[in-house]
């Protein structure tokens, strides 16, 4: 049964490759379809194997639904964390911004909000490095779900507000150096 499942998934892989080439489908689409169908094939093979071994399908079904119910309860208990993880995956796949881009999360319309340079994207937070006029650099960790609840403005090069903060910091540093002498 395992060999038959492997042969079927190999045949499926070649068929999907041909279809994607012929109809110019995205490789990501083919990968997703292949993974879903391979999972279905291997689970079916496992159920057939368990049936041959004398394990009833109703026992497997009862156990599976019990695990799904417990998983659903855990899912709702950890909704905030799971939301941020899902949003991180969306950020990494749709790429509304990238590492080292300058972004601003708008509060509403043109009101200034959180802004800085993206220095890290992990499963829970996106870390922004803020430059202040006094020369201080701080980091701000924004939950990933915030990027899908508010508008985000992105710059590829350093924006004017960041250059002004660096220039003021340099002026302040000159003044502090002169005062220290």
């Amino acid at each position: 049964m395992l060999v038959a499942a492997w042969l079927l998934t190999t045949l499926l892989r070649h068929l999907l490759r041909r279809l994607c080439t012929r109809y110019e489908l995205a490789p990501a689409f083919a990968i997703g379809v292949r993974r879903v169908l391979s999972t279905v094939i291997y689970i079916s093979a496992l159920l057939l194997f368990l049936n041959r071994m004398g394990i009833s399908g109703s026992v497997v079904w009862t156990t599976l639904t019990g695990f799904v119910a417990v998983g659903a309860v855990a899912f709702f208990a950890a909704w905030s964390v799971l939301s941020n993880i899902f949003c991180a995956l969306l950020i990494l796949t749709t790429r509304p911004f990238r590492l080292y881009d300058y972004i601003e999360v708008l509060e509403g319309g043109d009101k200034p909000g959180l802004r800085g340079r993206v220095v890290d994207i992990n499963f829970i937070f996106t870390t922004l490095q803020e430059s202040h006029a006094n020369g201080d650099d701080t980091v701000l960790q924004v939950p990933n779900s915030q990027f899908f609840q508010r508008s985000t403005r992105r710059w590829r090069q350093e924006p004017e507000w960041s250059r002004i903060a660096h220039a003021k910091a340099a002026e302040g540093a000159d003044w502090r150096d002169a005062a220290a002498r």
Side-chain angles (χ1 to χ4, degrees):
M1 284 185 230
L2 186 61
V3 171
W6 177 77
L7 287 172
L8 191 56
T9 56
T10 303
L11 178 66
L12 174 75
R13 183 178 300 130
H14 291 297
L15 179 64
L16 276 173
R17 190 177 304 134
R18 280 184 156 177
L19 286 174
C20 286
T21 303
R22 183 174 182 183
Y23 294 108
E24 297 178 4
L25 298 174
F29 174 76
I31 290 170
V33 169
R34 187 184 79 217
R35 286 182 181 165
V36 168
L37 292 177
S38 295
T39 303
V40 169
I41 290 169
Y42 281 114
I43 287 174
S44 299
L46 176 66
L47 290 174
L48 284 173
F49 175 74
L50 290 175
N51 192 19
R52 287 295 221 183
M53 296 299 291
I55 298 174
S56 171
S58 63
V59 171
V60 173
W61 181 252
T62 304
T63 305
L64 182 65
T65 55
F67 283 130
V68 168
V70 170
V73 170
F75 178 78
F76 285 115
W79 175 253
S80 174
V81 173
L82 293 175
S83 172
N84 283 320
I85 290 171
F86 180 69
C87 288
L89 294 174
L90 286 175
I91 288 170
L92 294 172
T93 56
T94 62
R95 304 186 87 172
F97 54 85
R98 298 176 182 165
L99 278 177
Y100 309 115
D101 280 350
Y102 290 87
I103 64 169
E104 179 178 11
V105 182
L106 302 173
E107 289 297 321
D110 282 337
K111 292 181 185 176
L114 310 171
R115 62 185 181 186
R117 185 176 188 201
V118 179
V119 293
D120 185 32
I121 302 171
N122 62 37
F123 281 120
I124 306 298
F125 298 106
T126 296
T127 305
L128 303 178
Q129 181 179 7
E130 299 178 302
S131 296
H132 300 284
N134 64 1
D136 292 341
D137 282 344
T138 58
V139 289
L140 178 68
Q141 291 185 314
V142 182
N144 290 326
S145 60
Q146 292 296 309
F147 296 106
F148 294 95
Q149 296 172 359
R150 294 191 169 85
S151 299
T152 304
R153 183 177 290 146
R154 172 181 67 173
W155 292 271
R156 292 273 183 207
Q157 265 78 37
E158 186 175 17
E160 186 65 29
W161 51 263
S162 180
R163 286 190 291 268
I164 291 172
H166 286 297
K168 286 184 179 179
E171 288 173 11
D174 293 341
W175 176 80
R176 277 186 234 118
D177 290 342
R181 287 185 221 152

